[in-house]
Coordinates of all heavy atoms in Angstrom, one line a residue:
V1 N 85.0 111.2 90.1 CA 85.4 112.4 89.2 C 86.2 113.3 90.1 O 86.2 113.4 91.3 CB 84.1 113.1 88.7 CG1 83.4 112.3 87.7 CG2 83.2 113.4 89.8
E2 N 87.0 114.1 89.4 CA 87.9 115.1 90.0 C 87.8 116.4 89.2 O 87.7 116.3 88.0 CB 89.3 114.5 90.0 CG 90.4 115.6 90.3 CD 91.7 115.0 89.8 OE1 92.2 114.1 90.4 OE2 92.3 115.6 88.9
V3 N 87.8 117.5 89.9 CA 87.7 118.7 89.2 C 89.0 119.4 89.0 O 89.8 119.4 89.9 CB 86.7 119.7 89.8 CG1 87.2 120.3 91.2 CG2 86.3 120.9 88.9
D4 N 89.3 119.8 87.8 CA 90.5 120.7 87.6 C 89.8 122.0 87.4 O 89.3 122.4 86.4 CB 91.2 120.2 86.3 CG 92.4 121.2 86.0 OD1 92.3 122.3 86.4 OD2 93.3 120.7 85.3
K5 N 90.0 122.8 88.4 CA 89.2 124.1 88.5 C 89.4 125.0 87.3 O 88.5 125.7 86.9 CB 89.5 124.8 89.8 CG 89.0 124.0 91.1 CD 89.1 124.9 92.3 CE 88.7 124.2 93.6 NZ 89.8 123.3 94.1
S6 N 90.6 125.0 86.8 CA 90.9 125.9 85.7 C 90.3 125.5 84.4 O 90.1 126.3 83.5 CB 92.4 126.0 85.5 OG 93.0 124.8 85.2
Q7 N 90.0 124.2 84.2 CA 89.6 123.7 82.9 C 88.3 122.9 82.9 O 87.5 123.0 81.9 CB 90.7 122.8 82.3 CG 92.0 123.6 82.1 CD 93.1 122.7 81.6 OE1 93.0 122.2 80.5 NE2 94.1 122.6 82.4
G8 N 88.1 122.0 83.8 CA 86.9 121.1 83.7 C 87.1 119.9 84.5 O 87.9 119.8 85.3
W9 N 86.2 118.9 84.1 CA 86.2 117.6 84.9 C 87.1 116.6 84.2 O 87.1 116.4 83.0 CB 84.8 117.1 85.0 CG 83.9 117.9 85.8 CD1 83.1 118.9 85.4 CD2 83.7 117.8 87.2 NE1 82.4 119.4 86.4 CE2 82.7 118.8 87.6 CE3 84.2 116.9 88.2 CZ2 82.3 118.9 88.9 CZ3 83.7 117.1 89.5 CH2 82.8 118.1 89.8
M10 N 87.8 115.8 85.1 CA 88.6 114.6 84.6 C 87.7 113.4 85.2 O 87.5 113.3 86.4 CB 89.9 114.5 85.3 CG 91.0 115.2 84.6 SD 91.5 114.3 83.1 CE 92.8 115.3 82.5
W11 N 87.3 112.6 84.3 CA 86.7 111.3 84.7 C 87.7 110.2 84.9 O 88.5 110.0 84.0 CB 85.6 110.9 83.7 CG 84.4 111.7 83.7 CD1 84.0 112.7 84.5 CD2 83.3 111.5 82.8 NE1 82.8 113.2 84.2 CE2 82.3 112.5 83.2 CE3 83.0 110.7 81.7 CZ2 81.1 112.6 82.5 CZ3 81.8 110.8 81.1 CH2 80.8 111.7 81.4
W12 N 87.6 109.5 86.0 CA 88.5 108.4 86.3 C 87.8 107.1 86.0 O 86.6 106.9 86.5 CB 88.9 108.4 87.8 CG 90.0 109.4 88.1 CD1 89.8 110.8 88.3 CD2 91.4 109.2 88.3 NE1 91.0 111.4 88.5 CE2 92.0 110.5 88.6 CE3 92.2 108.1 88.3 CZ2 93.3 110.6 88.8 CZ3 93.5 108.2 88.5 CH2 94.1 109.4 88.8
I13 N 88.5 106.2 85.4 CA 88.0 104.8 85.2 C 88.8 104.0 86.3 O 90.0 104.1 86.4 CB 88.4 104.3 83.8 CG1 87.6 105.1 82.8 CG2 88.1 102.8 83.8 CD1 88.0 104.7 81.4
Q14 N 88.1 103.3 87.2 CA 88.6 102.7 88.4 C 88.5 101.2 88.4 O 87.4 100.7 88.3 CB 87.9 103.4 89.6 CG 88.4 102.9 90.9 CD 89.5 103.8 91.5 OE1 89.7 104.9 91.1 NE2 90.3 103.2 92.3
S15 N 89.6 100.5 88.7 CA 89.6 99.1 89.0 C 88.8 98.2 88.0 O 87.7 97.7 88.3 CB 89.0 98.9 90.4 OG 89.7 99.6 91.4
V16 N 89.4 98.2 86.8 CA 88.7 97.4 85.7 C 89.2 95.9 85.9 O 90.4 95.6 86.1 CB 89.2 97.9 84.4 CG1 88.5 97.1 83.3 CG2 88.9 99.4 84.3
Y17 N 88.2 95.0 85.8 CA 88.5 93.6 85.8 C 87.6 92.9 84.9 O 86.4 92.9 85.0 CB 88.4 93.0 87.2 CG 88.8 91.6 87.3 CD1 90.1 91.1 87.5 CD2 87.8 90.6 87.2 CE1 90.4 89.8 87.5 CE2 88.1 89.2 87.2 CZ 89.4 88.8 87.4 OH 89.7 87.5 87.5
V18 N 88.1 92.2 83.9 CA 87.3 91.3 83.0 C 87.7 89.9 83.3 O 88.9 89.5 83.4 CB 87.6 91.6 81.5 CG1 86.9 90.7 80.6 CG2 87.2 93.1 81.2
R19 N 86.7 89.0 83.5 CA 87.1 87.6 83.8 C 87.9 87.0 82.7 O 87.7 87.3 81.6 CB 85.8 86.8 83.9 CG 85.0 87.1 85.2 CD 83.8 86.1 85.3 NE 83.2 86.3 86.6 CZ 82.6 85.2 87.2 NH1 82.6 84.0 86.7 NH2 82.1 85.4 88.4
P20 N 88.9 86.2 83.2 CA 89.9 85.7 82.2 C 89.3 85.1 80.9 O 89.8 85.3 79.8 CB 90.7 84.6 83.0 CG 90.5 85.0 84.4 CD 89.2 85.7 84.5
E21 N 88.2 84.3 81.1 CA 87.6 83.6 79.9 C 87.0 84.6 79.0 O 86.6 84.2 77.8 CB 86.7 82.5 80.4 CG 85.4 83.0 81.1 CD 85.6 83.1 82.6 OE1 86.7 83.3 83.1 OE2 84.5 82.9 83.3
H22 N 86.8 85.8 79.3 CA 86.2 86.8 78.5 C 87.1 87.9 78.0 O 86.7 88.8 77.3 CB 85.0 87.5 79.2 CG 83.9 86.6 79.6 ND1 83.2 85.8 78.7 CD2 83.4 86.2 80.8 CE1 82.3 85.0 79.3 NE2 82.5 85.3 80.6
R23 N 88.4 87.7 78.3 CA 89.4 88.8 77.9 C 89.7 88.6 76.4 O 89.6 87.6 75.8 CB 90.7 88.6 78.7 CG 90.5 89.1 80.1 CD 91.7 88.9 81.0 NE 91.3 89.0 82.4 CZ 92.0 88.6 83.4 NH1 93.2 88.1 83.2 NH2 91.6 88.7 84.6
G24 N 90.1 89.8 75.8 CA 90.5 89.8 74.4 C 89.4 89.7 73.5 O 89.5 89.4 72.3
R25 N 88.2 90.0 74.0 CA 87.0 89.9 73.1 C 86.2 91.3 73.1 O 85.0 91.3 72.7 CB 86.0 88.8 73.7 CG 86.6 87.4 73.4 CD 86.0 86.4 74.3 NE 84.5 86.3 74.1 CZ 83.7 85.5 74.8 NH1 84.3 84.6 75.7 NH2 82.4 85.5 74.6
G26 N 86.9 92.3 73.5 CA 86.3 93.6 73.3 C 85.5 94.2 74.4 O 84.8 95.2 74.3
V27 N 85.5 93.5 75.6 CA 84.7 94.0 76.7 C 85.2 95.3 77.2 O 84.4 96.3 77.3 CB 84.7 93.0 77.9 CG1 84.0 93.5 79.1 CG2 84.1 91.7 77.5
F28 N 86.5 95.4 77.4 CA 87.0 96.7 77.9 C 86.9 97.8 76.8 O 86.6 98.9 77.1 CB 88.5 96.6 78.4 CG 88.9 98.0 78.9 CD1 88.4 98.5 80.1 CD2 89.9 98.7 78.2 CE1 88.8 99.7 80.5 CE2 90.3 99.9 78.6 CZ 89.8 100.5 79.8
R29 N 87.1 97.4 75.5 CA 87.0 98.3 74.4 C 85.5 98.9 74.4 O 85.4 100.1 74.3 CB 87.2 97.6 73.1 CG 86.6 98.3 71.9 CD 87.3 99.6 71.6 NE 88.4 99.5 70.7 CZ 89.1 100.6 70.3 NH1 88.7 101.8 70.6 NH2 90.1 100.4 69.5
A30 N 84.5 98.1 74.7 CA 83.1 98.6 74.7 C 82.9 99.5 75.9 O 82.3 100.6 75.7 CB 82.2 97.4 74.8
L31 N 83.5 99.2 77.0 CA 83.3 100.1 78.2 C 84.0 101.4 78.0 O 83.4 102.5 78.2 CB 83.9 99.3 79.4 CG 83.8 100.1 80.8 CD1 83.7 99.1 81.9 CD2 85.0 101.0 81.0
F32 N 85.2 101.3 77.4 CA 86.0 102.5 77.2 C 85.4 103.4 76.2 O 85.3 104.6 76.4 CB 87.5 102.2 76.8 CG 88.3 103.4 76.6 CD1 88.9 104.0 77.7 CD2 88.5 103.9 75.4 CE1 89.6 105.2 77.5 CE2 89.2 105.1 75.2 CZ 89.8 105.7 76.3
D33 N 84.9 102.8 75.1 CA 84.3 103.7 74.1 C 83.0 104.3 74.6 O 82.8 105.5 74.3 CB 83.9 102.8 72.8 CG 85.1 102.4 72.0 OD1 86.2 103.0 72.2 OD2 85.0 101.6 71.1
H34 N 82.3 103.6 75.4 CA 81.0 104.2 76.0 C 81.4 105.4 76.9 O 80.8 106.5 76.7 CB 80.3 103.2 76.8 CG 79.1 103.7 77.5 ND1 77.9 103.9 76.9 CD2 78.9 104.1 78.8 CE1 77.0 104.4 77.7 NE2 77.6 104.5 78.9
V35 N 82.4 105.2 77.7 CA 82.8 106.3 78.6 C 83.4 107.5 77.8 O 83.1 108.7 78.1 CB 83.8 105.8 79.7 CG1 84.3 107.0 80.5 CG2 83.1 104.8 80.6
H36 N 84.2 107.1 76.8 CA 84.8 108.2 76.0 C 83.8 109.0 75.3 O 83.8 110.2 75.3 CB 85.8 107.5 75.0 CG 86.5 108.5 74.2 ND1 86.2 108.7 72.8 CD2 87.5 109.4 74.4 CE1 86.9 109.6 72.3 NE2 87.7 110.1 73.3
Q37 N 82.8 108.3 74.7 CA 81.7 109.1 74.0 C 80.9 110.0 74.9 O 80.6 111.1 74.5 CB 80.8 108.1 73.2 CG 81.4 107.5 72.0 CD 80.6 106.4 71.3 OE1 79.4 106.4 71.5 NE2 81.3 105.5 70.6
A38 N 80.6 109.5 76.1 CA 79.9 110.3 77.0 C 80.7 111.5 77.5 O 80.2 112.6 77.6 CB 79.5 109.4 78.2
A39 N 82.0 111.3 77.6 CA 82.9 112.4 78.0 C 83.0 113.4 76.9 O 82.9 114.7 77.2 CB 84.3 111.8 78.4
V40 N 83.1 113.0 75.7 CA 83.2 113.9 74.6 C 81.9 114.7 74.4 O 82.0 115.9 74.1 CB 83.5 113.2 73.2 CG1 83.3 114.0 72.0 CG2 84.9 112.6 73.3
A41 N 80.8 114.1 74.7 CA 79.5 114.8 74.6 C 79.2 115.8 75.7 O 78.3 116.6 75.6 CB 78.4 113.7 74.6
D42 N 80.0 115.8 76.7 CA 79.8 116.7 77.9 C 80.9 117.8 77.8 O 82.1 117.5 78.0 CB 79.9 115.9 79.2 CG 79.6 116.8 80.4 OD1 79.7 118.0 80.3 OD2 79.2 116.2 81.4
P43 N 80.5 119.0 77.5 CA 81.5 120.1 77.3 C 82.3 120.4 78.6 O 83.3 121.1 78.5 CB 80.7 121.3 76.8 CG 79.3 121.0 77.2 CD 79.1 119.5 77.3
E44 N 81.8 119.9 79.7 CA 82.5 120.2 81.0 C 83.6 119.2 81.3 O 84.4 119.4 82.2 CB 81.5 120.3 82.2 CG 80.5 121.4 82.1 CD 79.7 121.6 83.4 OE1 79.9 120.7 84.3 OE2 78.9 122.5 83.4
V45 N 83.7 118.2 80.5 CA 84.7 117.1 80.7 C 85.8 117.3 79.8 O 85.6 117.4 78.5 CB 84.0 115.7 80.5 CG1 85.1 114.6 80.8 CG2 82.9 115.5 81.5
I46 N 87.1 117.3 80.3 CA 88.2 117.5 79.5 C 89.1 116.3 79.3 O 90.0 116.4 78.5 CB 89.1 118.7 80.1 CG1 89.5 118.3 81.5 CG2 88.3 120.0 80.1 CD1 90.5 119.2 82.1
G47 N 88.9 115.2 80.0 CA 89.8 114.1 79.9 C 89.4 112.9 80.7 O 88.5 113.0 81.5
L48 N 90.0 111.8 80.4 CA 89.9 110.5 81.2 C 91.2 110.2 81.8 O 92.2 110.4 81.2 CB 89.4 109.4 80.2 CG 88.1 109.7 79.4 CD1 87.9 108.5 78.4 CD2 86.9 109.8 80.3
R49 N 91.1 109.5 82.9 CA 92.3 109.0 83.6 C 92.1 107.7 84.3 O 90.9 107.4 84.7 CB 92.7 110.0 84.7 CG 93.6 111.1 84.3 CD 94.1 111.9 85.5 NE 94.7 113.1 85.0 CZ 94.7 114.3 85.6 NH1 94.1 114.4 86.8 NH2 95.3 115.4 85.1
L50 N 93.1 106.9 84.4 CA 93.1 105.7 85.2 C 94.5 105.5 85.7 O 95.5 106.1 85.2 CB 92.6 104.5 84.4 CG 93.2 104.2 83.1 CD1 94.5 103.5 83.3 CD2 92.2 103.3 82.3
Y51 N 94.7 104.6 86.6 CA 96.0 104.2 87.0 C 96.2 102.7 86.9 O 95.2 102.0 86.9 CB 96.4 104.7 88.4 CG 95.5 104.2 89.6 CD1 95.7 102.9 90.1 CD2 94.6 105.0 90.1 CE1 94.9 102.5 91.2 CE2 93.8 104.6 91.1 CZ 94.0 103.4 91.7 OH 93.2 103.0 92.7
V52 N 97.4 102.2 86.7 CA 97.7 100.8 86.5 C 99.0 100.5 87.2 O 99.9 101.3 87.2 CB 97.7 100.5 84.9 CG1 98.7 101.5 84.2 CG2 98.0 99.1 84.6
E53 N 99.1 99.3 87.7 CA 100.3 98.8 88.4 C 101.5 98.9 87.4 O 101.4 98.6 86.2 CB 100.1 97.4 88.9 CG 99.3 97.3 90.1 CD 99.1 95.9 90.6 OE1 100.1 95.1 90.5 OE2 98.0 95.5 91.0
D54 N 102.6 99.3 88.0 CA 103.9 99.4 87.2 C 104.2 98.1 86.5 O 104.7 98.0 85.4 CB 105.1 99.7 88.1 CG 105.1 101.1 88.6 OD1 104.5 102.0 87.9 OD2 105.6 101.4 89.7
S55 N 103.9 96.9 87.2 CA 104.2 95.6 86.6 C 103.2 95.1 85.7 O 103.4 94.0 85.1 CB 104.4 94.6 87.8 OG 103.1 94.6 88.5
N56 N 102.1 95.8 85.5 CA 101.0 95.2 84.6 C 101.2 95.7 83.2 O 100.5 96.6 82.7 CB 99.6 95.6 85.2 CG 98.5 94.9 84.5 OD1 98.7 94.2 83.5 ND2 97.3 95.0 85.1
F57 N 102.2 95.1 82.5 CA 102.6 95.6 81.2 C 101.5 95.4 80.2 O 101.3 96.2 79.2 CB 103.9 95.0 80.7 CG 105.0 95.3 81.6 CD1 105.7 94.3 82.3 CD2 105.5 96.6 81.7 CE1 106.7 94.6 83.2 CE2 106.6 96.9 82.6 CZ 107.2 95.9 83.3
K58 N 100.7 94.3 80.3 CA 99.7 93.9 79.3 C 98.6 95.0 79.4 O 98.2 95.5 78.3 CB 99.1 92.6 79.6 CG 98.0 92.2 78.7 CD 97.8 90.7 78.5 CE 96.7 90.5 77.4 NZ 95.6 89.8 78.0
A59 N 98.1 95.3 80.6 CA 97.1 96.4 80.6 C 97.6 97.7 80.1 O 96.9 98.4 79.5 CB 96.6 96.5 82.1
Q60 N 98.9 98.0 80.4 CA 99.5 99.3 80.0 C 99.5 99.3 78.4 O 99.1 100.3 77.8 CB 100.9 99.4 80.5 CG 101.0 99.6 82.0 CD 102.5 99.5 82.5 OE1 103.4 99.8 81.7 NE2 102.6 99.2 83.7
E61 N 99.8 98.2 77.8 CA 99.8 98.1 76.3 C 98.4 98.4 75.8 O 98.2 99.1 74.8 CB 100.3 96.8 75.8 CG 101.8 96.6 76.0 CD 102.3 95.3 75.6 OE1 101.5 94.4 75.2 OE2 103.5 95.1 75.7
I62 N 97.4 97.7 76.4 CA 96.0 97.9 76.0 C 95.6 99.3 76.1 O 95.0 99.9 75.2 CB 95.1 96.9 76.8 CG1 95.4 95.5 76.4 CG2 93.6 97.3 76.6 CD1 94.7 94.4 77.3
Y63 N 95.9 100.0 77.3 CA 95.5 101.4 77.5 C 96.2 102.3 76.5 O 95.5 103.2 75.9 CB 95.8 101.8 78.9 CG 95.1 101.0 80.0 CD1 95.7 100.8 81.2 CD2 93.8 100.5 79.7 CE1 95.0 100.1 82.2 CE2 93.2 99.8 80.7 CZ 93.8 99.6 82.0 OH 93.1 98.9 82.9
Q64 N 97.4 102.0 76.2 CA 98.1 102.9 75.2 C 97.5 102.6 73.8 O 97.4 103.6 73.0 CB 99.6 102.6 75.2 CG 100.2 103.2 76.5 CD 101.7 102.9 76.6 OE1 102.3 102.2 75.8 NE2 102.2 103.5 77.7
H65 N 97.1 101.4 73.5 CA 96.5 101.1 72.2 C 95.2 101.9 72.1 O 94.8 102.3 71.0 CB 96.2 99.6 72.2 CG 95.4 99.2 71.0 ND1 96.0 99.0 69.7 CD2 94.1 98.9 70.8 CE1 95.0 98.7 68.8 NE2 93.9 98.6 69.5
L66 N 94.5 102.2 73.2 CA 93.3 102.9 73.2 C 93.5 104.4 73.3 O 92.5 105.2 73.4 CB 92.3 102.4 74.3 CG 91.9 101.0 74.2 CD1 91.1 100.5 75.4 CD2 91.0 100.8 73.0
G67 N 94.7 104.8 73.2 CA 95.0 106.3 73.1 C 95.3 107.0 74.4 O 95.4 108.2 74.5
L68 N 95.4 106.2 75.5 CA 95.8 106.8 76.8 C 97.3 106.9 76.8 O 98.1 106.0 76.4 CB 95.3 105.9 77.9 CG 93.8 105.8 78.0 CD1 93.4 104.5 78.8 CD2 93.2 107.0 78.7
E69 N 97.8 108.0 77.4 CA 99.2 108.2 77.6 C 99.6 108.5 79.0 O 98.8 108.9 79.8 CB 99.6 109.5 76.7 CG 99.3 109.3 75.3 CD 99.6 110.6 74.5 OE1 99.6 111.7 75.1 OE2 99.7 110.5 73.3
R70 N 100.9 108.3 79.3 CA 101.4 108.5 80.7 C 101.1 110.0 81.0 O 101.3 110.9 80.2 CB 102.9 108.3 80.8 CG 103.3 106.9 80.7 CD 104.8 106.7 81.0 NE 104.9 106.8 82.5 CZ 105.2 105.7 83.2 NH1 105.3 104.5 82.7 NH2 105.3 105.8 84.5
A71 N 100.5 110.2 82.3 CA 100.0 111.5 82.6 C 101.1 112.3 83.3 O 100.8 113.5 83.6 CB 98.8 111.3 83.5
G72 N 102.2 111.8 83.7 CA 103.2 112.6 84.3 C 103.1 112.7 85.8 O 103.7 113.6 86.4
Y73 N 102.3 111.7 86.4 CA 102.2 111.7 87.9 C 102.7 110.3 88.3 O 102.7 109.4 87.5 CB 100.8 111.8 88.3 CG 100.1 113.1 88.0 CD1 99.4 113.2 86.8 CD2 100.2 114.2 88.9 CE1 98.7 114.4 86.5 CE2 99.5 115.3 88.6 CZ 98.8 115.4 87.4 OH 98.1 116.6 87.1
F74 N 103.2 110.2 89.6 CA 103.2 108.8 90.1 C 102.3 108.8 91.4 O 102.2 109.9 92.1 CB 104.6 108.2 90.3 CG 105.5 108.9 91.2 CD1 105.6 108.7 92.5 CD2 106.5 109.8 90.6 CE1 106.5 109.3 93.3 CE2 107.4 110.5 91.4 CZ 107.4 110.2 92.8
V75 N 101.8 107.7 91.7 CA 100.8 107.6 92.8 C 101.5 107.2 94.0 O 102.3 106.2 94.0 CB 99.7 106.5 92.4 CG1 98.7 106.4 93.5 CG2 99.0 106.9 91.1
L76 N 101.3 107.9 95.1 CA 101.9 107.6 96.4 C 100.8 107.1 97.4 O 99.6 107.4 97.3 CB 102.5 108.8 97.0 CG 103.6 109.4 96.2 CD1 104.0 110.8 96.7 CD2 104.8 108.6 96.1
E77 N 101.2 106.2 98.3 CA 100.3 105.7 99.3 C 101.0 105.4 100.6 O 102.3 105.1 100.5 CB 99.5 104.5 98.8 CG 100.3 103.3 98.6 CD 99.5 102.2 98.0 OE1 98.4 102.4 97.6 OE2 100.1 101.1 97.8
R78 N 100.3 105.3 101.7 CA 100.8 104.7 102.9 C 99.9 103.5 103.2 O 98.7 103.7 103.7 CB 100.8 105.7 104.0 CG 101.3 105.1 105.3 CD 101.9 106.1 106.2 NE 102.3 105.5 107.5 CZ 103.1 106.1 108.4 NH1 103.6 107.2 108.1 NH2 103.4 105.5 109.5
F79 N 100.3 102.3 102.9 CA 99.5 101.2 103.0 C 100.3 99.9 103.3 O 101.3 99.7 102.6 CB 98.7 101.0 101.7 CG 97.9 99.7 101.7 CD1 96.7 99.7 102.3 CD2 98.4 98.5 101.1 CE1 95.9 98.5 102.3 CE2 97.6 97.4 101.1 CZ 96.4 97.4 101.7
P80 N 100.0 99.2 104.4 CA 98.9 99.4 105.3 C 99.3 100.7 106.2 O 100.4 101.1 106.2 CB 98.9 98.2 106.1 CG 100.3 97.6 106.0 CD 100.8 98.0 104.7
L81 N 98.3 101.1 106.9 CA 98.4 102.3 107.7 C 99.5 102.1 108.8 O 100.1 103.1 109.2 CB 97.1 102.7 108.3 CG 96.0 103.2 107.3 CD1 94.7 103.3 108.0 CD2 96.4 104.5 106.7
Ligands
COA1 C1 93.1 94.8 81.1 C2 91.7 94.2 80.8 C3 90.7 95.0 81.6 C4 91.4 94.4 79.3 O1 90.1 94.0 79.0 P1 89.7 93.1 77.7 O2 88.2 93.1 77.6 O3 90.4 91.9 77.7 O4 90.3 94.1 76.5 P2 89.7 94.2 75.0 O5 89.5 92.8 74.5 O6 88.5 95.1 75.0 O7 90.9 94.9 74.3 C5 91.0 96.3 74.2 C6 91.9 96.7 73.1 O8 93.3 96.4 73.4 C7 93.8 95.6 72.3 N1 94.9 94.8 72.9 C8 94.8 93.6 73.5 N2 95.9 93.1 73.9 C9 96.9 94.0 73.5 C10 98.3 94.2 73.7 N3 99.0 93.2 74.3 N4 98.9 95.3 73.2 C11 98.2 96.2 72.5 N5 96.8 96.2 72.4 C12 96.2 95.1 72.9 C13 92.7 94.9 71.7 O9 92.9 94.5 70.4 C14 91.6 96.0 71.8 O10 91.7 96.9 70.7 P3 90.8 96.9 69.4 O11 89.4 97.1 69.9 O12 91.3 98.1 68.6 O13 91.0 95.6 68.8 C15 91.6 92.7 81.1 O14 92.6 92.0 80.4 C16 91.7 92.4 82.6 O15 90.7 92.4 83.3 N6 92.9 92.1 83.0 C17 93.2 91.6 84.4 C18 92.9 92.7 85.4 C19 93.7 93.9 85.1 O16 94.9 93.9 84.7 N7 93.0 95.1 85.2 C20 93.6 96.4 84.9 C21 93.9 97.0 86.2 S1 94.4 98.7 85.9

C-alpha cells in the first residue's frame, strides 16, 4: 500500500500470474472484484493501482476491460544494480 497524504490510500495489486491452463476462466476477475469491493468498503482507500509491461498487450486489454486506466506515470528502475 502507498499513502497519498492529501486523499487516502492507494492499494497496489502486484505481480499477478494465473497458470496458463486456468487463464480466461475468471480467476483474475474474481481476485480483482474481491480487492475492489474491499477497497470500496474502506473509506480511507481512494483507488487501485498496478503496473504492467509495455509489451504485455493482452494483460493491458484485460485491465482496461476491468476499468483500469493509464495513470500518467512511467516506472523507472536501475536494474541490474
Ligand atoms: C493477465 C492474467 C492475470 C489474467 O488472468 P485471467 O484469470 O486469465 O483473466 P480472467 O479470465 O479473469 O479475465 C478477466 C476479464 O478480462 C476479459 N478479457 C480476457 N481477455 C481479454 C482481452 N484480450 N481483451 C479484453 N478483455 C479480455 C475477460 O473476459 C474477463 O472479463 P469478464 O469477467 O467481464 O468476462 C493472466 O492471463 C496471466 O497470468 N497472464 C500471464 C502473466 C501476466 O501477464 N501477468 C500480468 C503481469 S502485470
